[in-house]
Amino acid sequence: MIIDTPLGFTWGRVILAPLIPLFYFWPGWGAAVALVIYIVAALSDYYDGKLARKHNLSSAFGAFLDPVADKLLVIVALFTLLADPQPLFSRTALLILAALIILREVVQSALRDWMSQAGRSEEVAVTQMSKTKTLLQMIALGVLLGDKAAVQAFSWLDIVFDTRGWSGVVGMVMLGGAAVIGIITLGSFLKVAFGKSVS
């Protein structure tokens, strides 16, 4: 039923996220399967929100679970990349970006919860800048996760083509951009929450 679809998409992300590392390190076409799982999960974030708004199916539980599912997907993807024995780019750089992204998500979630309890949730509503951060972050993680799948695909087609040079740089630049935007938006939310006490 359509009434169950948005929440079903959200639960789908919760279920699919742990499968990404499981398949990513699986021999053969595992990385390609992990990439497909990631793409499906990422797209579900767009469609569940769209359906919920279109059919007025928003619920308190859905509003709670949706950001949890999003953060779970991002954190699992980051940890998968960090656990790769042959990192696509500098593990140190990836670790720094992962720490910034996760720190931002944890602080912002706590801030939104606190503001909601204070009856000020509308003051920390999702902004266009936050949406841009999320889109950039999702694409960046897809590029980084997809490198191993591309190598497997080219190998299967007997084509010698190393994607690690460009995909690592592009993915990390995009992820870095997402981290910077995330910190900027967090600063804006903190300023709204605490006023002039936060510069």
Side-chain angles (χ1 to χ4, degrees):
M1 291 177 61
I2 187 66
I3 195 168
D4 297 323
T5 303
L7 192 56
F9 278 145
T10 304
W11 274 117
R13 285 201 302 287
V14 173
I15 295 169
L16 289 175
L19 297 179
I20 293 173
L22 176 65
F23 283 98
Y24 185 80
F25 297 107
W26 203 276
W29 286 90
V33 175
L35 177 62
V36 171
I37 291 172
Y38 173 79
I39 292 173
V40 169
L43 288 175
S44 75
D45 180 34
Y46 169 75
Y47 284 108
D48 68 358
K50 184 177 180 180
L51 285 171
R53 289 187 297 270
K54 182 178 180 180
H55 298 281
N56 195 26
L57 298 174
S58 299
S59 66
F61 182 68
F64 157 76
L65 188 62
D66 184 69
V68 171
D70 296 344
K71 289 168 179 54
L72 177 63
L73 179 62
V74 169
I75 290 172
V76 167
L78 286 169
F79 279 11
T80 300
L81 293 168
L82 285 168
D84 194 332
Q86 294 181 312
L88 181 60
F89 202 79
S90 165
R91 195 187 303 277
T92 301
L94 182 59
L95 182 60
I96 291 171
L97 291 181
L100 287 174
I101 290 169
I102 294 172
L103 174 66
R104 185 263 185 192
E105 297 298 342
V106 170
V107 173
Q108 185 137 322
S109 292
L111 178 64
R112 279 207 171 103
D113 183 58
W114 174 64
M115 293 285 280
S116 177
Q117 292 182 34
R120 301 171 60 195
S121 57
E122 70 283 350
E123 297 181 39
V124 285
V126 177
T127 64
Q128 188 57 49
M129 199 171 183
S130 292
K131 291 179 180 179
T132 300
K133 182 272 302 179
T134 299
L135 178 62
L136 196 61
Q137 187 170 271
M138 288 298 188
I139 295 174
L141 291 172
V143 170
L144 294 170
L145 286 170
D147 178 78
K148 184 175 286 190
V151 170
Q152 291 175 346
F154 284 123
S155 175
W156 184 74
L157 294 171
D158 290 327
I159 298 175
V160 179
F161 182 71
D162 187 5
T163 62
R164 296 180 75 83
W166 69 266
S167 58
V169 172
V170 170
M172 289 296 289
V173 168
M174 293 180 72
L175 194 64
V180 170
I181 295 174
I183 295 301
I184 291 173
T185 56
L186 176 60
S188 297
F189 286 137
L190 285 169
K191 190 171 184 178
V192 169
F194 298 106
K196 295 181 179 180
S197 61
V198 177
S199 58

